[in-house]
Amino acid sequence: MMKFLRQVWESFRFAWGALKTNVTRTILSLLGVTVGIFAIVAVFTIVDSLEKSIRDSLSFIGDKVIYVQKWPWGFGGEYQWWKYFQWPEPTYSEYKYLYENLESASAVAVMDFRGSTTLKNGSNSINAQIQGVSFEYNLISDIPVQNGRYFIPLETNNARNVAIVGADIAESLFPGQDPVGKPFKLAGHKFTIIGVREKKGESLVDFGGSPDKICLIPFSSFSKLFQSGRRSADIVVKGFPDDVGMKEVEAEIVGLMRTKRGIKPRDGNNFSLNRPEAAAVAISGLFAVLTIAGWVIGSFSILVGGFGIANIMFVSVKERTNLIGIQKSLGAKNYSILFQFLFEAVMLSLVGGLVGIFLVYLLSFLKLGSLEILLLPRNVILGLGVSSIIGVLSGIVPAMLAARMDPVIAIRAK
């Protein structure tokens, strides 16, 4: 063990000496590895950060849920809007039918929303999205209430004028105050704030809008204010964690909706089942393209860097031929010489890789809009692993040439 550690230390000394001998040559040779590792690690880091942002947004609209709606979400392919235009909107009575008969779901809720609506408190006002929801909505979507509470069944069933507001709404209507229990005006009607959601902040992707600017009210209250007897809605069904359970839920929803609407066996469905995961899958296709582009750009740069390291090693072997002959004449084994030069090549490559990873680390301090750049440990390991492989591939041939030298010929070399 001590012999091995001594060889490692000697190899490290030789490698460090090679780095210091010609700094300019070394920097130019390692530039390719640095750029390549930076490109690969940066792409993976940005993709991971985007995926995290999307997952956080999915927690807001609900994970493992199915939206029963009129319009399907289109992600590529032909969108037959003229066909969907003729389909009826889901209704509150259909929600009640699913709520009472659906057995394979963990929760069923109803919701509807209205775009930019002015909320007022005296001279303070803000435009926000109004969302009417049933009591079970908090079982489907993540609604972290920081101050106050969620609705109770009495409020949602009896159309009470109560609201849970986003952080931006609370700050705009009641700056520097505790808004819980205080009234405000919504569409000319008096509402009371019973809860304030945790502040989420800006997000690169917000499905359904930023929760900081959403006002939740009971669906029954929403219907009285905005629907004028129309009573249409989006029905949201929560499944179970496994995809098998989700398939069972989808099948049961289709059967119940067809029964409720009286659709004949030969006729197609006139409603859509939309899952938020479909959006994530569609966006993941873009991530795959970015990842491939990063590998291609990085591979060319690493290839150039690999040739640069190989060039350094060939020069190093030539410069130290006499020293190699002395070492072998004193009893150094071939594997010792091989390991010595291979270690030097790997070290050179790792230096380039570490510089590339450090540049990505500096990138994480930059503010790219609302995107938070996170350098994960697995990407650091990836960069170091690729650097090590390039070092081995670049140094193996020069190291083998050095190990196979005849000691007599090597000592005579000048």
Side-chain angles (χ1 to χ4, degrees):
M1 183 64 182
M2 291 301 298
K3 182 179 179 181
F4 174 78
L5 292 176
R6 188 164 54 251
Q7 289 177 341
V8 170
W9 172 247
E10 290 177 356
S11 299
F12 176 80
R13 285 174 52 209
F14 280 123
W16 181 249
L19 282 171
K20 294 193 301 180
T21 299
N22 196 327
V23 177
T24 303
R25 183 185 69 186
T26 301
I27 291 176
L28 292 175
S29 299
L30 297 183
L31 188 60
V33 175
T34 298
V35 173
I37 295 300
F38 172 78
I40 293 173
V41 176
V43 167
F44 274 87
T45 298
I46 291 174
V47 167
D48 289 339
S49 301
L50 287 170
E51 288 180 339
K52 181 180 182 299
S53 178
I54 290 175
R55 284 196 300 271
D56 292 342
S57 297
L58 285 176
S59 67
F60 161 58
I61 62 174
D63 188 20
K64 299 297 181 183
V65 301
I66 300 172
Y67 285 76
V68 183
Q69 298 172 310
K70 172 181 177 178
W71 298 92
W73 298 349
F75 300 106
E78 183 181 6
Y79 193 80
Q80 300 177 336
W81 61 268
W82 57 90
K83 172 184 175 182
Y84 311 135
F85 180 77
Q86 303 175 29
W87 290 359
E89 294 273 1
T91 63
Y92 185 80
S93 62
E94 290 172 340
Y95 151 70
K96 293 296 292 184
Y97 183 76
L98 291 179
Y99 180 79
E100 294 169 357
N101 294 280
L102 200 57
E103 297 179 353
S104 59
S106 60
V108 183
V110 64
M111 61 164 287
D112 201 354
F113 67 91
R114 184 178 179 87
S116 183
T117 303
T118 303
L119 311 182
K120 293 184 178 181
N121 173 40
S123 60
N124 298 325
S125 65
I126 185 174
N127 289 331
Q129 177 178 300
I130 312 302
Q131 205 166 42
V133 299
S134 61
F135 174 73
E136 298 79 10
Y137 189 71
N138 70 326
L139 302 176
I140 292 173
S141 180
D142 184 23
I143 306 177
V145 178
Q146 184 179 31
N147 187 16
R149 60 175 177 82
Y150 186 68
F151 303 116
I152 60 175
L154 180 66
E155 293 167 338
T156 55
N157 294 336
N158 297 339
R160 297 289 177 84
N161 286 358
V162 291
I164 299 173
V165 299
D168 288 353
I169 298 175
E171 293 170 5
S172 298
L173 296 183
F174 301 95
Q177 305 177 47
D178 182 3
V180 176
K182 294 182 179 178
F184 69 97
K185 290 284 186 177
L186 192 166
H189 293 75
K190 180 181 176 181
F191 274 73
T192 301
I193 296 177
I194 62 170
V196 180
R197 299 176 64 157
E198 291 181 3
K199 188 175 183 64
K200 181 183 179 183
E202 293 184 358
S203 177
L204 184 70
V205 181
D206 273 320
F207 294 100
S210 171
D212 293 337
K213 295 183 179 180
I214 290 180
C215 176
L216 293 178
I217 63 176
F219 182 81
S220 48
S221 304
F222 182 93
S223 299
K224 288 197 306 182
L225 291 178
F226 303 115
Q227 290 193 335
S228 302
R230 182 168 58 93
R231 303 289 278 179
S232 65
D234 290 339
I235 303 169
V236 194
V237 180
K238 177 78 170 181
F240 295 96
D242 56 291
D243 286 331
V244 176
M246 292 302 294
K247 293 176 182 177
E248 293 177 357
V249 174
E250 287 183 1
E252 189 176 4
I253 292 173
V254 169
L256 291 173
M257 286 294 293
R258 289 179 66 88
T259 300
K260 177 66 176 176
R261 293 189 173 185
I263 301 175
K264 297 178 181 179
R266 293 184 178 181
D267 295 338
N269 297 332
N270 59 1
F271 54 88
S272 301
L273 302 184
N274 297 315
R275 291 184 61 178
E277 291 89 339
V281 170
I283 297 175
S284 294
L286 298 177
F287 294 161
V289 174
L290 288 175
T291 302
I292 294 173
W295 274 111
V296 171
I297 296 172
S299 297
F300 279 110
S301 299
I302 288 175
L303 183 63
V304 173
F307 280 116
I309 292 175
N311 179 63
I312 287 180
M313 296 310 302
F314 278 117
V315 172
S316 182
V317 169
K318 184 177 179 62
E319 291 175 343
R320 287 152 50 188
T321 299
N322 185 263
L323 181 59
I324 294 170
I326 295 173
Q327 287 179 323
K328 299 191 75 172
S329 66
L330 293 176
K333 302 295 184 181
N334 286 351
Y335 74 86
S336 177
I337 303 297
L338 176 71
F339 180 80
Q340 179 181 334
F341 283 91
L342 201 57
F343 184 89
E344 183 176 329
V346 172
M347 181 180 173
L348 290 171
S349 184
L350 280 175
V351 170
L354 285 171
V355 174
I357 293 171
F358 180 70
L359 293 177
V360 178
Y361 174 71
L362 294 180
L363 182 66
S364 66
F365 288 98
L366 298 179
K367 188 70 175 178
L368 301 179
S370 59
L371 180 63
E372 182 182 4
I373 304 297
L374 300 173
L375 178 58
L376 300 179
R378 68 168 178 263
N379 291 331
V380 174
I381 295 173
L382 172 66
L384 295 178
V386 172
S387 299
S388 300
I389 293 172
I390 294 302
V392 171
L393 295 177
S394 302
I396 188 66
V397 174
M400 290 178 65
L401 289 176
R404 293 177 179 178
M405 281 186 180
D406 185 284
V408 177
I409 298 176
I411 290 176
R412 291 177 179 176
K414 295 181 180 181

